[in-house]
Coordinates of all heavy atoms in Angstrom, one line a residue:
H123 N 3.2 12.3 6.8 CA 2.7 13.6 6.5 C 3.8 14.7 6.6 O 3.7 15.7 6.1 CB 1.6 13.9 7.6 CG 0.3 13.0 7.2 ND1 -0.7 13.6 6.5 CD2 -0.1 11.9 7.8 CE1 -1.6 12.6 6.4 NE2 -1.2 11.5 7.2
A124 N 4.8 14.3 7.4 CA 5.9 15.4 7.7 C 6.6 15.7 6.4 O 7.0 16.7 6.3 CB 6.9 14.9 8.7
R125 N 6.6 14.8 5.5 CA 7.3 15.0 4.3 C 6.5 15.9 3.3 O 6.9 16.3 2.2 CB 7.7 13.7 3.6 CG 8.7 12.9 4.3 CD 9.0 11.5 3.7 NE 9.5 11.8 2.3 CZ 9.6 10.6 1.5 NH1 9.2 9.3 2.0 NH2 10.0 10.7 0.4
M126 N 5.2 16.2 3.7 CA 4.4 17.0 2.9 C 4.2 18.4 3.4 O 3.1 19.0 3.4 CB 3.0 16.4 2.6 CG 3.2 15.1 1.7 SD 1.6 14.6 1.1 CE 1.1 13.7 2.5
A127 N 5.2 18.9 4.1 CA 5.1 20.2 4.7 C 4.6 21.3 3.8 O 4.0 22.3 4.3 CB 6.4 20.5 5.5
L128 N 5.1 21.3 2.6 CA 4.8 22.2 1.7 C 3.4 22.1 0.9 O 3.0 23.0 0.1 CB 5.9 22.4 0.5 CG 7.3 22.6 1.1 CD1 8.2 22.7 -0.1 CD2 7.2 24.1 1.8
V129 N 2.7 21.0 1.2 CA 1.5 20.7 0.6 C 0.4 21.2 1.6 O 0.3 20.9 2.7 CB 1.3 19.1 0.3 CG1 0.0 18.8 -0.3 CG2 2.4 18.6 -0.5
P130 N -0.5 21.9 1.0 CA -1.8 22.4 1.9 C -2.4 21.1 2.6 O -2.5 20.1 2.0 CB -2.7 23.0 0.9 CG -1.8 23.4 -0.4 CD -0.7 22.4 -0.4
V131 N -2.7 21.4 3.9 CA -3.3 20.3 4.7 C -4.4 19.6 4.0 O -4.5 18.4 3.9 CB -3.6 20.8 6.1 CG1 -4.4 19.7 6.8 CG2 -2.4 21.3 6.8
A132 N -5.3 20.3 3.3 CA -6.5 19.8 2.7 C -6.1 18.8 1.6 O -7.0 18.0 1.3 CB -7.3 20.9 2.2
Q133 N -4.9 19.0 1.1 CA -4.6 18.0 -0.2 C -3.7 16.9 0.3 O -3.4 16.0 -0.6 CB -3.8 19.0 -1.2 CG -4.7 20.0 -2.0 CD -3.9 20.8 -2.9 OE1 -2.7 20.8 -2.8 NE2 -4.7 21.5 -3.8
R134 N -3.2 16.8 1.5 CA -2.3 15.8 1.9 C -2.9 14.4 1.7 O -2.1 13.5 1.4 CB -1.8 16.1 3.3 CG -0.9 17.3 3.3 CD -0.3 17.5 4.7 NE 0.3 18.9 4.7 CZ 0.8 19.4 5.7 NH1 0.7 18.8 7.0 NH2 1.3 20.5 5.7
E135 N -4.0 14.2 2.1 CA -4.6 12.9 2.1 C -4.8 12.4 0.6 O -4.4 11.3 0.4 CB -6.1 12.8 2.8 CG -6.2 11.5 3.3 CD -6.8 11.4 4.7 OE1 -6.3 12.1 5.6 OE2 -7.6 10.5 4.9
S136 N -5.2 13.2 -0.3 CA -5.3 12.8 -1.6 C -3.9 12.7 -2.2 O -3.8 11.7 -3.1 CB -6.2 13.7 -2.5 OG -5.6 15.0 -2.5
F137 N -3.0 13.4 -1.9 CA -1.7 13.2 -2.5 C -1.1 11.9 -1.9 O -0.6 11.1 -2.8 CB -0.7 14.3 -1.9 CG -0.7 15.5 -2.9 CD1 -1.8 16.0 -3.4 CD2 0.5 16.3 -3.0 CE1 -1.8 17.2 -4.2 CE2 0.4 17.4 -3.9 CZ -0.7 17.9 -4.4
A138 N -1.3 11.6 -0.7 CA -0.9 10.2 -0.1 C -1.6 9.1 -0.9 O -0.9 8.1 -1.3 CB -1.2 10.3 1.3
S139 N -2.9 9.2 -1.2 CA -3.5 8.2 -1.9 C -3.0 8.0 -3.3 O -2.9 6.9 -3.8 CB -5.1 8.5 -2.0 OG -5.6 8.6 -0.6
V140 N -2.7 9.1 -4.0 CA -2.1 9.0 -5.3 C -0.7 8.3 -5.2 O -0.5 7.4 -6.0 CB -2.0 10.4 -5.9 CG1 -1.2 10.3 -7.2 CG2 -3.4 11.0 -6.2
A141 N 0.1 8.7 -4.3 CA 1.4 8.1 -4.1 C 1.3 6.6 -3.7 O 2.0 5.7 -4.4 CB 2.1 8.9 -3.0
A142 N 0.3 6.2 -3.0 CA 0.1 4.9 -2.6 C -0.3 4.1 -3.9 O 0.1 2.9 -4.1 CB -0.9 4.7 -1.5
G143 N -1.1 4.6 -4.7 CA -1.6 4.0 -6.0 C -0.4 3.8 -6.9 O -0.3 2.7 -7.5
A144 N 0.4 4.7 -6.9 CA 1.6 4.8 -7.9 C 2.6 3.6 -7.3 O 3.2 2.8 -8.1 CB 2.3 6.0 -8.0
I145 N 2.8 3.6 -6.0 CA 3.7 2.7 -5.4 C 3.2 1.2 -5.6 O 3.8 0.2 -6.0 CB 3.8 2.9 -4.0 CG1 4.7 4.3 -3.6 CG2 4.6 1.7 -3.3 CD1 4.5 4.8 -2.3
S146 N 1.8 1.2 -5.4 CA 1.2 -0.1 -5.6 C 1.4 -0.7 -7.0 O 1.7 -1.9 -7.3 CB -0.3 0.0 -5.3 OG -1.0 -1.2 -5.7
Q147 N 1.2 0.2 -8.0 CA 1.3 -0.2 -9.4 C 2.7 -0.7 -9.7 O 3.0 -1.6 -10.4 CB 1.0 1.0 -10.3 CG 0.9 0.6 -11.8 CD -0.2 -0.3 -12.1 OE1 -1.3 -0.2 -11.5 NE2 0.0 -1.3 -13.0
N148 N 3.7 0.0 -9.1 CA 5.1 -0.4 -9.2 C 5.3 -1.8 -8.6 O 6.1 -2.7 -9.3 CB 6.2 0.5 -8.6 CG 6.4 1.8 -9.3 OD1 6.3 1.8 -10.5 ND2 6.8 2.8 -8.6
V149 N 4.7 -2.2 -7.6 CA 4.9 -3.5 -7.0 C 4.2 -4.5 -7.9 O 4.8 -5.5 -8.1 CB 4.1 -3.6 -5.6 CG1 4.1 -5.0 -5.1 CG2 5.0 -2.6 -4.7
Y150 N 2.9 -4.2 -8.5 CA 2.4 -5.0 -9.5 C 3.3 -5.3 -10.6 O 3.3 -6.3 -11.2 CB 1.1 -4.4 -10.1 CG -0.2 -4.8 -9.2 CD1 -0.6 -4.0 -8.2 CD2 -0.9 -6.0 -9.5 CE1 -1.7 -4.3 -7.4 CE2 -2.0 -6.4 -8.7 CZ -2.4 -5.5 -7.7 OH -3.4 -5.9 -6.9
L151 N 4.0 -4.1 -11.1 CA 4.8 -4.2 -12.4 C 6.0 -5.3 -12.0 O 6.4 -6.1 -12.7 CB 5.4 -3.0 -12.8 CG 4.3 -2.1 -13.6 CD1 4.8 -0.6 -13.6 CD2 3.9 -2.7 -14.9
F152 N 6.6 -5.0 -10.9 CA 7.7 -5.9 -10.5 C 7.3 -7.3 -10.3 O 8.1 -8.2 -10.8 CB 8.4 -5.4 -9.1 CG 9.5 -6.3 -8.7 CD1 10.6 -6.4 -9.3 CD2 9.2 -7.2 -7.8 CE1 11.7 -7.2 -9.0 CE2 10.1 -8.2 -7.3 CZ 11.3 -8.2 -8.0
A153 N 6.2 -7.5 -9.6 CA 5.7 -8.8 -9.4 C 5.6 -9.6 -10.8 O 5.9 -10.6 -10.9 CB 4.4 -8.9 -8.6
A154 N 4.9 -8.7 -11.7 CA 4.6 -9.5 -13.0 C 6.0 -9.8 -13.8 O 6.1 -10.8 -14.3 CB 3.7 -8.5 -14.0
S155 N 6.9 -8.8 -13.5 CA 8.3 -9.2 -14.2 C 9.0 -10.2 -13.6 O 9.8 -10.9 -14.2 CB 9.1 -7.9 -14.3 OG 9.6 -7.7 -12.9
A156 N 8.7 -10.5 -12.4 CA 9.4 -11.5 -11.6 C 8.6 -12.8 -11.5 O 9.1 -13.8 -10.7 CB 9.8 -11.0 -10.2
G157 N 7.5 -12.8 -12.1 CA 6.7 -14.1 -12.1 C 5.9 -14.3 -10.8 O 5.6 -15.5 -10.4
L158 N 5.7 -13.2 -10.1 CA 5.1 -13.4 -8.8 C 3.6 -12.8 -9.0 O 3.2 -12.1 -9.9 CB 5.8 -12.5 -7.7 CG 7.2 -13.0 -7.4 CD1 7.9 -12.0 -6.5 CD2 7.2 -14.4 -6.7
A159 N 2.8 -13.1 -7.9 CA 1.4 -12.6 -7.9 C 1.3 -11.6 -6.7 O 2.0 -11.8 -5.7 CB 0.4 -13.8 -7.7
T160 N 0.3 -10.7 -7.0 CA 0.2 -9.7 -5.8 C -1.3 -9.2 -5.9 O -2.0 -9.2 -7.0 CB 1.1 -8.5 -5.9 OG1 0.9 -7.7 -4.8 CG2 1.0 -7.8 -7.1
V161 N -1.9 -8.9 -4.7 CA -3.1 -8.2 -4.6 C -3.0 -7.1 -3.6 O -2.4 -7.2 -2.6 CB -4.3 -9.2 -4.2 CG1 -4.7 -10.1 -5.3 CG2 -3.9 -10.0 -3.0
I162 N -3.7 -6.0 -4.0 CA -3.8 -4.9 -3.1 C -4.9 -5.1 -2.2 O -5.9 -5.8 -2.4 CB -4.0 -3.6 -3.9 CG1 -3.8 -2.4 -3.1 CG2 -5.4 -3.6 -4.5 CD1 -3.7 -1.1 -3.9
R163 N -4.7 -4.7 -0.9 CA -5.6 -5.0 0.1 C -5.8 -3.7 1.0 O -4.9 -3.2 1.5 CB -5.0 -6.1 1.0 CG -5.1 -7.4 0.3 CD -4.4 -8.5 1.2 NE -5.2 -8.8 2.4 CZ -4.6 -9.4 3.5 NH1 -3.3 -9.7 3.5 NH2 -5.3 -9.5 4.5
A164 N -7.2 -3.3 1.2 CA -7.5 -2.3 2.1 C -8.1 -2.7 3.4 O -8.2 -1.9 4.4 CB -8.4 -1.4 1.4
W165 N -8.7 -4.0 3.4 CA -9.3 -4.5 4.5 C -8.3 -5.1 5.4 O -7.9 -6.4 5.3 CB -10.4 -5.5 4.1 CG -11.3 -6.0 5.1 CD1 -11.4 -5.6 6.5 CD2 -12.1 -7.2 5.1 NE1 -12.3 -6.2 7.1 CE2 -12.8 -7.3 6.4 CE3 -12.4 -8.1 4.1 CZ2 -13.7 -8.2 6.7 CZ3 -13.2 -9.1 4.4 CH2 -14.0 -9.2 5.6
I166 N -7.5 -4.4 6.2 CA -6.4 -4.8 7.0 C -6.4 -4.2 8.3 O -7.2 -3.3 8.6 CB -5.1 -4.3 6.3 CG1 -5.3 -2.8 6.1 CG2 -4.8 -5.0 5.0 CD1 -4.1 -2.1 5.4
D167 N -5.6 -4.9 9.2 CA -5.6 -4.4 10.7 C -4.5 -3.3 10.8 O -3.2 -3.6 10.8 CB -5.2 -5.5 11.6 CG -5.2 -5.1 13.1 OD1 -5.2 -4.0 13.4 OD2 -5.3 -6.0 13.9
R168 N -4.9 -2.0 10.6 CA -3.9 -0.9 10.4 C -3.2 -0.8 11.7 O -1.9 -0.4 11.6 CB -4.7 0.3 10.0 CG -5.2 0.3 8.6 CD -5.9 1.6 8.1 NE -6.1 1.5 6.7 CZ -6.9 0.8 6.2 NH1 -7.8 0.0 6.9 NH2 -7.1 0.8 4.8
D169 N -3.8 -0.9 12.8 CA -3.1 -0.7 14.1 C -2.0 -1.7 14.2 O -0.9 -1.4 14.7 CB -4.1 -0.8 15.3 CG -5.0 0.4 15.3 OD1 -4.6 1.5 14.6 OD2 -6.0 0.3 16.0
A170 N -2.3 -3.0 13.9 CA -1.3 -4.1 14.0 C -0.1 -3.9 13.1 O 1.1 -4.0 13.5 CB -1.9 -5.4 13.7
I171 N -0.4 -3.4 11.8 CA 0.7 -3.0 10.9 C 1.4 -1.9 11.4 O 2.7 -2.0 11.3 CB 0.0 -2.9 9.5 CG1 -0.6 -4.1 8.9 CG2 1.1 -2.2 8.5 CD1 -1.4 -3.9 7.6
A172 N 0.8 -0.8 11.9 CA 1.6 0.3 12.4 C 2.4 0.0 13.5 O 3.6 0.4 13.5 CB 0.5 1.4 12.8
Q173 N 1.9 -0.9 14.3 CA 2.7 -1.3 15.4 C 3.9 -2.1 15.0 O 5.1 -2.0 15.4 CB 1.9 -2.1 16.5 CG 2.6 -2.3 17.9 CD 1.6 -2.8 18.9 OE1 0.4 -3.1 18.7 NE2 2.2 -3.0 20.1
A174 N 3.7 -3.2 14.1 CA 4.7 -4.0 13.6 C 5.8 -3.3 13.0 O 7.0 -3.5 13.0 CB 4.2 -5.1 12.7
L175 N 5.5 -2.2 12.3 CA 6.5 -1.3 11.5 C 7.1 -0.2 12.3 O 7.8 0.5 11.8 CB 5.8 -0.7 10.1 CG 5.3 -1.8 9.2 CD1 4.6 -1.1 8.0 CD2 6.6 -2.6 8.6
G176 N 6.6 -0.1 13.6 CA 7.0 1.0 14.4 C 6.7 2.4 13.9 O 7.4 3.3 14.1
L177 N 5.5 2.5 13.3 CA 5.1 3.8 12.8 C 4.6 4.7 13.9 O 4.1 4.3 15.0 CB 4.0 3.7 11.8 CG 4.3 2.7 10.5 CD1 3.0 2.9 9.5 CD2 5.6 3.3 9.8
G178 N 4.9 6.0 13.7 CA 4.5 7.1 14.7 C 3.2 7.6 14.4 O 2.5 7.3 13.3
H179 N 2.7 8.5 15.0 CA 1.3 9.2 14.9 C 1.3 10.1 13.5 O 0.2 10.3 13.0 CB 0.9 10.2 16.1 CG 1.8 11.4 16.0 ND1 3.0 11.4 16.7 CD2 1.5 12.6 15.7 CE1 3.5 12.6 16.6 NE2 2.7 13.4 16.0
D180 N 2.6 10.4 12.9 CA 2.6 11.0 11.7 C 2.5 10.2 10.5 O 2.4 10.7 9.4 CB 4.0 11.9 11.7 CG 4.0 12.8 10.6 OD1 3.0 13.6 10.5 OD2 5.0 12.7 9.8
H181 N 2.5 9.0 10.8 CA 2.4 7.9 9.6 C 1.0 7.3 9.6 O 0.4 7.1 10.6 CB 3.5 6.9 9.8 CG 5.0 7.4 9.8 ND1 5.6 7.5 10.9 CD2 5.5 7.9 8.8 CE1 6.8 8.0 10.5 NE2 6.8 8.3 9.2
Q182 N 0.6 7.1 8.4 CA -0.6 6.4 8.1 C -0.6 5.2 7.3 O -0.1 5.3 6.2 CB -1.5 7.6 7.6 CG -3.1 7.3 7.6 CD -3.8 8.5 7.0 OE1 -3.2 9.6 6.7 NE2 -5.0 8.4 6.9
V183 N -1.2 4.2 7.7 CA -1.3 2.9 6.8 C -2.5 3.0 5.9 O -3.6 3.1 6.4 CB -1.5 1.7 7.7 CG1 -1.6 0.4 6.8 CG2 -0.3 1.5 8.6
L184 N -2.3 3.2 4.6 CA -3.3 3.3 3.7 C -3.8 1.9 3.1 O -4.9 1.6 2.9 CB -2.9 4.2 2.5 CG -2.6 5.7 2.9 CD1 -2.3 6.6 1.6 CD2 -3.9 6.3 3.4
L185 N -2.8 1.2 2.5 CA -3.1 0.0 1.8 C -2.0 -1.1 2.3 O -1.0 -0.8 2.7 CB -2.9 0.2 0.4 CG -3.9 1.1 -0.2 CD1 -3.5 1.5 -1.8 CD2 -5.3 0.6 -0.2
S186 N -2.3 -2.3 2.0 CA -1.3 -3.4 2.1 C -1.3 -4.2 0.8 O -2.2 -4.0 -0.1 CB -1.7 -4.2 3.3 OG -1.1 -5.6 3.2
Q187 N -0.1 -4.9 0.7 CA 0.0 -5.7 -0.6 C 0.5 -7.0 -0.3 O 1.6 -7.0 0.2 CB 0.8 -4.8 -1.7 CG 0.2 -5.0 -3.1 CD 0.8 -3.9 -4.1 OE1 1.2 -2.8 -3.6 NE2 0.9 -4.3 -5.3
T188 N -0.2 -7.9 -0.7 CA 0.3 -9.4 -0.4 C 1.0 -9.8 -1.7 O 0.4 -9.7 -2.7 CB -0.9 -10.3 -0.1 OG1 -1.5 -9.8 1.2 CG2 -0.4 -11.7 0.2
I189 N 2.1 -10.4 -1.5 CA 2.9 -11.0 -2.6 C 3.2 -12.3 -2.5 O 3.5 -12.8 -1.4 CB 4.3 -10.3 -2.8 CG1 4.0 -8.7 -3.0 CG2 5.1 -10.7 -4.1 CD1 5.3 -7.9 -2.9
G190 N 3.0 -13.2 -3.4 CA 3.4 -14.7 -3.3 C 3.5 -15.3 -4.8 O 3.7 -14.6 -5.7
Y191 N 3.6 -16.7 -4.6 CA 3.7 -17.3 -5.9 C 2.4 -17.6 -6.7 O 1.4 -17.8 -5.8 CB 4.5 -18.7 -5.7 CG 5.8 -18.5 -5.1 CD1 6.2 -18.6 -3.8 CD2 6.8 -18.1 -6.1 CE1 7.5 -18.5 -3.4 CE2 8.1 -18.0 -5.6 CZ 8.5 -18.1 -4.3 OH 9.7 -18.0 -3.8
P192 N 2.3 -17.4 -7.8 CA 1.0 -17.7 -8.5 C 0.4 -19.1 -8.4 O 1.3 -19.9 -8.1 CB 1.3 -17.3 -10.0 CG 2.7 -17.4 -10.1 CD 3.3 -17.1 -8.8
K193 N -0.8 -19.2 -8.4 CA -1.5 -20.5 -8.4 C -0.9 -21.4 -9.6 O -0.8 -20.9 -10.6 CB -3.0 -20.3 -8.5 CG -3.9 -21.5 -8.2 CD -5.3 -21.1 -8.2 CE -6.2 -22.2 -8.5 NZ -7.5 -21.8 -8.7
M194 N -0.5 -22.5 -9.2 CA 0.0 -23.5 -10.3 C -1.1 -23.8 -11.2 O -2.2 -24.2 -10.8 CB 0.6 -24.8 -9.6 CG 1.8 -24.5 -8.7 SD 3.3 -23.9 -9.5 CE 4.0 -25.4 -10.0
T195 N -0.9 -23.8 -12.4 CA -1.9 -24.3 -13.5 C -1.3 -25.5 -14.3 O -0.1 -25.5 -14.4 CB -2.2 -23.2 -14.4 OG1 -1.1 -22.7 -15.1 CG2 -3.0 -22.1 -13.8
E196 N -2.2 -26.4 -14.6 CA -1.6 -27.7 -15.2 C -1.6 -27.4 -16.7 O -2.2 -26.7 -17.2 CB -2.5 -28.8 -14.7 CG -2.5 -29.0 -13.2 CD -3.6 -30.1 -12.7 OE1 -3.3 -31.2 -13.2 OE2 -4.5 -29.7 -12.2
Ligands
LIG230 C1 -8.0 -0.2 -3.2 C2 -8.3 -1.7 -3.2 C3 -8.5 -2.5 -2.0 C4 -8.7 -3.7 -2.1 N1 -8.8 -4.3 -0.8 C5 -9.0 -5.7 -0.8 C6 -9.0 -6.5 0.4 O1 -8.9 -5.9 1.5 N2 -9.2 -7.7 0.4 C7 -9.5 -8.4 -0.7 O2 -9.6 -9.6 -0.7 N3 -9.4 -7.8 -2.1 C8 -9.2 -6.4 -2.0 N4 -9.1 -5.8 -3.2 C9 -9.2 -6.6 -4.4 C10 -7.8 -7.3 -4.8 O3 -6.8 -6.4 -4.9 C11 -8.0 -8.0 -6.1 O4 -8.3 -7.2 -7.0 C12 -8.9 -9.2 -6.0 O5 -8.5 -10.0 -4.9 C13 -8.9 -10.0 -7.3 O6 -7.8 -10.4 -7.6 P1 -7.5 -11.4 -8.9 O7 -8.2 -10.6 -10.1 O8 -6.0 -11.5 -9.1 O9 -8.2 -12.7 -8.6 C14 -8.8 -4.5 -3.3 C15 -8.8 -3.8 -4.4 C16 -8.4 -2.4 -4.4 C17 -8.3 -1.7 -5.7

């Protein structure tokens, strides 16, 4: 949120969601280009993630993305 000092408070959450969507799409594009699989996840333990990443009260966990190898097909 500190990086959005010039954005009106009422718009910060939607701006953050748009940014998260764009970031997520980039991860999907990279994963596809590298032959990896990924899924976006919102049902996550935000407190545990924030603690593991050392995030402060100014940071907010919106989404998570799991990356792995695609299921093998025969
Ligand atoms: C914003 C958002 C949040 C999501 N959160 C979850 C989640 O917490 N857990 C989950 O299993 N799938 C979640 N999904 C769905 C997965 O990202 C994915 O679309 C789904 O697992 C189907 O993947 P597949 O088509 O590759 O099988 C979410 C999708 C969106 C768009």
Side-chain angles (χ1 to χ4, degrees):
H123 291 272
R125 291 175 63 189
M126 291 195 281
L128 298 178
V129 179
V131 173
Q133 289 181 346
R134 289 182 191 174
E135 202 132 328
S136 61
F137 274 38
S139 298
V140 170
I145 292 164
S146 166
Q147 190 65 36
N148 280 337
V149 175
Y150 270 93
L151 289 169
F152 174 76
S155 74
L158 298 170
T160 184
V161 283
I162 193 169
R163 295 173 60 202
W165 188 13
I166 50 179
D167 187 339
R168 290 182 168 73
D169 289 341
I171 292 170
Q173 196 172 355
L175 294 175
L177 303 184
H179 70 278
D180 189 52
H181 299 100
Q182 197 180 351
V183 177
L184 293 180
L185 297 168
S186 168
Q187 222 164 332
T188 300
I189 301 174
Y191 294 102
K193 190 171 153 185
M194 300 290 275
T195 52
E196 294 172 70

